[in-house]
Amino acid sequence: MTAKFETRLAELGVTLADAPAPAANYVPFVQVGDLVFVSGQISQDANGFITGKLGDTMSTEEGVVAARTCAISLLAQVKAACGGDLDRLVRVVKLSGFVNSTQDYTEQPKVINGASDFLVEALGDAGRHARAAVSAPSLPLGVAVEIDGIFQIA
């Protein structure tokens, strides 16, 4: 059997690292029935945390990249919840995106599109989801973006 989601990720140049460990007193995900609730994943890449405030020290385009990294971490958590078999993922149900931004910044939906667009590109129709995109005056560790999600698995 071909690992369709992992193959598609590889085509996009994405390899899922081990799921990030929690930074405080919580678990990275909780499964209830066929739903997996993944805790907020913060923007980070191989160089560390992606920090900044949209509308001040970061552009919308930089925020889009930060949101994409959150989506990759979300998938790593889902893969862990599925015992290493990402193809057990049925669909992305909902994302809640938080953007560290100034009071007058209004492009939160564009920033969170970095995650949404990536998930649809990587997962096809299984990546289509409901969503919220909101502003936050600050986020943990000064990161630019944090996203949590609900996923259906088989």
Side-chain angles (χ1 to χ4, degrees), residues 5-21:
F5 292 144
E6 297 271 4
T7 300
R8 180 64 183 138
L9 288 169
E11 290 170 358
L12 296 173
V14 175
T15 301
L16 296 180
D18 291 337

Side-chain angles (χ1 to χ4, degrees), residues 11-114:
E11 290 170 358
L12 296 173
V14 175
T15 301
L16 296 180
D18 291 337
N25 187 19
Y26 63 91
V27 295
F29 58 83
V30 172
Q31 183 175 348
V32 178
D34 66 347
L35 296 179
V36 175
F37 296 77
V38 179
S39 296
Q41 302 297 299
I42 58 177
S43 51
Q44 58 185 324
D45 60 18
N47 299 316
F49 298 122
I50 300 171
T51 60
K53 185 173 285 289
L54 280 290
D56 183 19
T57 62
M58 288 186 80
S59 69
T60 297
E61 294 73 22
E62 290 169 314
V64 167
V65 172
R68 184 179 189 271
T69 70
C70 295
I72 292 168
S73 292
L74 286 166
L75 288 182
Q77 294 292 357
V78 171
K79 182 177 177 180
C82 291
D85 182 5
L86 188 60
D87 283 338
R88 288 183 50 207
L89 174 64
V90 174
R91 75 167 305 147
V92 182
V93 177
K94 182 171 190 234
L95 299 181
S96 295
F98 304 90
V99 179
N100 184 353
S101 59
T102 61
Q103 184 175 350
D104 60 346
Y105 184 80
T106 60
E107 295 189 340
Q108 294 83 0
K110 288 182 182 178
V111 170
I112 302 305
N113 277 348

